[in-house]
Amino acid sequence: MESSSGNGKGMAEAYEEVEEEANFESDEIERNKVGIMRALVEREDPSSKDVDDFMIRRFLRARDLDIEKATNMFLKYLSWKKSFVPNGSISESEIPSQLAQNKLFMQGVDKTGRPIVVVYGGRHKQTTPEEFKRFVVYTLDKICSRMPAGKEKFACIADLEGWGYTNSDVRGYIAALTILQDSYPERLGKLFFVHVPYIFMTAWKMVYPFIDNKTKKKILFVKDKKLNSTLLKDIDESQLPDAYGGRLPLVPIQNC
């Protein structure tokens, strides 16, 4: 019996060693690719010297470590950033109508330390397409600037209570999705859709084809009867917004 137990332990240790070695090799490959990609993008756009390796790594991961695809994606991002955000950031004075809708909040972190964002889709009203895009960029920049040390992703609760045709903005949703996927890749950690009315699925069917496969895996539709238990699997009660039975009051994104 002792011999059997000893062999079992040895096998387990051997397995862990092999797994650690594989992870080390994978990390090493990724680091090497980050270095290669940095050299390529800096040659094409010297301004990229200002970005850190974590940003380059996010673009690489978004393209499954394909250096050519990730480099093209990153250079397009840099060009877009210069034209859309020439001052480096979006000011609140550029998005007054969007902020007045009081629809986006940020409070607490999930069990992995990712900040939690809450969006109320039923409060969304269409303004000009450009202002909405600016609002999306303002929001994502604000979220990223509030990331805890060592974290790169955020969790989002999209609350659709009261959502109806007056809130349906398929163009806006696709624009927001495009900005998130193309310019802020590997930032979304998980997306919970809660209080989803059946009518919303009509709009969802039009948006769904524009969602890349990596993002689709992060989306979860939560049934009302399982709302609290589902959220508590990922978020401690002490960090859960009070709107969902937790202890933290929601804070408007502009006040974060």
Side-chain angles (χ1 to χ4, degrees), residues 10 22 119 124 147 153 172 208 213 227 237 249:
V119 183
H124 174 68
M147 291 278 183
K153 300 183 179 183
Y208 191 77
N213 290 329
L227 176 57
E237 186 180 352

Side-chain angles (χ1 to χ4, degrees), residues 14-15 80 101 123 126 139 147 160 164 172 190 192-193 199 201 225 241:
Y15 177 79
W80 166 83
Q101 293 174 15
R123 299 180 185 179
Q126 293 186 45
T139 297
M147 291 278 183
L160 300 179
K190 196 162 188 177
F192 301 90
F193 276 110
I199 194 174
M201 301 316 293
K225 61 182 179 181

Side-chain angles (χ1 to χ4, degrees), residues 150-202:
K151 298 298 174 185
E152 299 182 71
K153 300 183 179 183
F154 66 93
C156 180
I157 300 172
D159 193 323
L160 300 179
E161 187 169 15
W163 189 95
Y165 282 128
T166 57
N167 313 114
S168 183
D169 182 11
V170 173
R171 277 188 176 183
Y173 300 154
I174 293 174
L177 183 65
T178 299
I179 291 171
L180 175 66
Q181 293 181 160
D182 294 351
S183 302
Y184 297 81
E186 296 297 298
R187 282 301 196 181
L188 178 65
K190 196 162 188 177
L191 172 58
F192 301 90
F193 276 110
V194 305
H195 298 141
V196 184
Y198 182 75
I199 194 174
F200 173 75
M201 301 316 293
T202 302

